[in-house]
Amino acid sequence: KQEVTQIPAALSVPEGENLVLNCSFTDSAIYNLQWFRQDPGKGLTSLLLIQSSQREQTSGRLNASLDKSSGRSTLYIAASQPGDSATYLCAVSRIPLNSGGYQKVTFGTGTKLQVIP
Amino acid sequence: DADVTQTPRNRITKTGKRIMLECSQTKGHDRMYWYRQDPGLGLRLIYYSFDVKDINKGEISDGYSVSRQAQAKFSLSLESAIPNQTALYFCATSDTRGHGYEQFFGPGTRLTVL
């Protein structure tokens, strides 16, 4: 059974600092890994999607890396801003054999980030 | 306009009542999902649908039912609501054509069962 862990559960940093959020997973047979942002009481916004064949993806100040062999992904946020304050979730997908293409997604419980002005 | 919409956004109901949560999407995706989110437990899959004629149970389907009325609409029903179904419910979509199964989420429905 896939387990996804995000440590720390909460993180507080001063504005302008570069930071790294961690995601680890137990089963390396993944199809893709997706990072989301969730604002309080709101839905999940997709930030980056990394396919299993890729090592990293970048979007603006965000960079996500994937190391399947070690079961780890990191989300790097450069020059953090107060607007980055949110909970960040990672989700790992796999497509089991004989599943007809069913995408089984396992979510971590998130890291709550606070960027202090 | 949002690509994935959910109604209602908030609902308070009483134990034993029947509740329907609705989801619509304009992304043209074939796959739709219902999840619930509980503090400390992450998101868990309730039901998923590959197309109008294909409905499948997820991890925690007991007490729930769904209907895929059209490719763009996927509804979740609680036949007889109970307090432990109090949670944040999300609808999501994904597309197998060219987006690598990337998932897109609606804004959520906060359901409280008293």
Side-chain angles (χ1 to χ4, degrees), chain A residues 25-44:
Chain A
F25 47 94
T26 55
D27 184 350
S28 62
I30 67 170
Y31 184 82
N32 65 34
L33 184 145
Q34 196 167 354
W35 280 95
F36 295 90
R37 168 190 174 131
Q38 184 176 22
D39 293 285
K42 296 191 177 181
L44 281 67

Side-chain angles (χ1 to χ4, degrees), chain A residues 32 34 38 46 101-103, chain B residues 31 37 48 100-103:
Chain A
N32 65 34
Q34 196 167 354
Q38 184 176 22
S46 179
Y102 163 54
Q103 176 192 12
Chain B
R31 300 185 175 200
Q37 185 179 37
Y48 63 100
Y101 291 81
E102 183 175 5
Q103 292 206 320

Side-chain angles (χ1 to χ4, degrees), chain B residues 30-58:
Chain B
D30 50 352
R31 300 185 175 200
M32 299 187 73
Y33 310 80
W34 276 104
Y35 291 92
R36 66 177 278 177
Q37 185 179 37
D38 299 274
L41 293 179
L43 277 84
R44 293 179 293 167
L45 181 65
I46 306 172
Y47 271 95
Y48 63 100
S49 171
F50 283 4
D51 62 38
V52 174
K53 298 179 181 179
D54 188 288
I55 303 289
N56 302 277
K57 293 181 178 180

Side-chain angles (χ1 to χ4, degrees), chain A residues 6 34-47 87-91 105 107-108 110, chain B residues 4 6 9 35-37 42-43 88-93 102-108:
Chain A
Q6 292 185 249
Q34 196 167 354
W35 280 95
F36 295 90
R37 168 190 174 131
Q38 184 176 22
D39 293 285
K42 296 191 177 181
L44 281 67
T45 300
S46 179
L47 297 174
T87 296
Y88 291 80
L89 299 167
C90 72
V105 183
F107 287 83
Chain B
V4 184
Q6 293 183 235
R9 294 294 314 280
Y35 291 92
R36 66 177 278 177
Q37 185 179 37
L43 277 84
L88 192 53
Y89 289 84
F90 289 106
C91 175
T93 71
E102 183 175 5
Q103 292 206 320
F104 299 88
F105 281 75

Side-chain angles (χ1 to χ4, degrees), chain B residues 16-17 25-26 28-29 48 73 76 94:
Chain B
K17 294 291 187 180
Q25 55 121 342
T26 58
H29 288 174
Y48 63 100
K73 296 185 182 295
L76 175 72
S94 69

